[in-house]
Amino acid sequence: MEIIKIPQMKKEEYDEIIRDGCVSRIAFQGEKYPYIAPFMYVFDGRFLYFLSTKYGRKNDLFKKSPYVSVEVERYSEDMSCYTFVTMQGRLVQEEDAIAKKKVRKMFLDLIRDHHLSHNILAAFGHDPSEPVESILDEERSNIWKLTGVADIVALKNL
């Protein structure tokens, strides 16, 4: 019996998967085991950006080691079509005021364009009853940028 390997995607294909998505998983280096957490993200064509609340285990692990694996996937309900992209890189906290405003605006546009529930605001440190624009005006979350991507694995079904 021959083993069939899942085909790799070209850069254009996996960039499309990343561009079309908005939810990822980040694996942090834990004490003994990796710690995996879901994150909303935006993609500017070059970098992935994440909004992270300023509390929780992920922040402690980020401070200990910013080296992570990020996974983005897309699949059909019956799994007849599936794709995934994993990237190993380093998270850096965005400090530039202009860049932070731009990224927060990208998140605002993402929420509006995808008609996401205001409940998602809680993931960014905001009360869901607040206007979605509050993510622009108040910095209740950190902005992390994935840099120095050392390895990308992008596979799709046949």
Side-chain angles (χ1 to χ4, degrees):
M1 177 181 344
E2 184 180 348
I3 295 175
I4 305 294
K5 291 189 175 186
I6 301 172
Q8 294 187 7
M9 285 188 275
K10 295 181 167 113
K11 182 179 183 341
E12 299 80 29
E13 291 177 290
Y14 65 74
D15 275 356
E16 179 184 338
I17 302 299
I18 294 168
R19 195 173 24 261
D20 291 348
C22 64
V23 177
S24 66
R25 288 172 188 76
I26 300 179
F28 295 86
Q29 295 179 21
E31 296 298 321
K32 184 173 180 180
Y33 302 104
Y35 176 72
I36 300 172
F39 279 83
M40 300 272 308
Y41 72 88
V42 292
F43 180 53
D44 70 357
R46 187 164 177 220
F47 294 105
L48 284 157
Y49 294 91
F50 310 91
L51 284 183
S52 171
T53 57
K54 295 184 175 188
Y55 61 86
R57 187 185 314 181
K58 62 194 169 296
N59 284 286
D60 297 335
L61 294 173
F62 166 73
K63 288 173 187 168
K64 287 182 182 177
S65 176
Y67 296 96
V68 297
S69 289
V70 176
E71 187 259 355
V72 174
E73 63 191 32
R74 179 170 67 185
Y75 51 88
S76 61
E77 189 174 315
D78 68 354
M79 297 299 288
S80 60
C81 297
Y82 54 86
T83 58
F84 68 89
V85 182
T86 61
M87 300 154 273
Q88 288 75 43
R90 181 174 186 266
L91 292 176
V92 296
Q93 187 157 317
E94 184 61 68
E95 299 294 349
D96 180 75
I98 294 170
K100 288 194 298 188
K101 196 71 154 178
K102 176 185 162 199
V103 171
R104 289 183 189 284
K105 175 72 166 82
M106 290 171 68
F107 273 96
L108 176 64
D109 293 343
L110 173 78
I111 292 166
R112 287 179 173 162
D113 294 347
H114 284 80
H115 308 287
L116 300 180
S117 166
H118 280 218
N119 289 337
I120 197 62
L121 292 176
F124 306 141
H126 293 263
D127 186 319
S129 67
E130 297 176 12
V132 71
E133 294 80 13
S134 65
I135 65 173
L136 289 177
D137 303 324
E138 299 177 30
E139 294 194 12
R140 296 189 205 168
S141 51
N142 295 314
I143 296 174
W144 292 339
K145 175 169 72 172
L146 182 65
T147 64
V149 173
D151 189 26
I152 298 175
V153 176
L155 303 176
K156 63 182 176 179
N157 67 313
L158 302 173

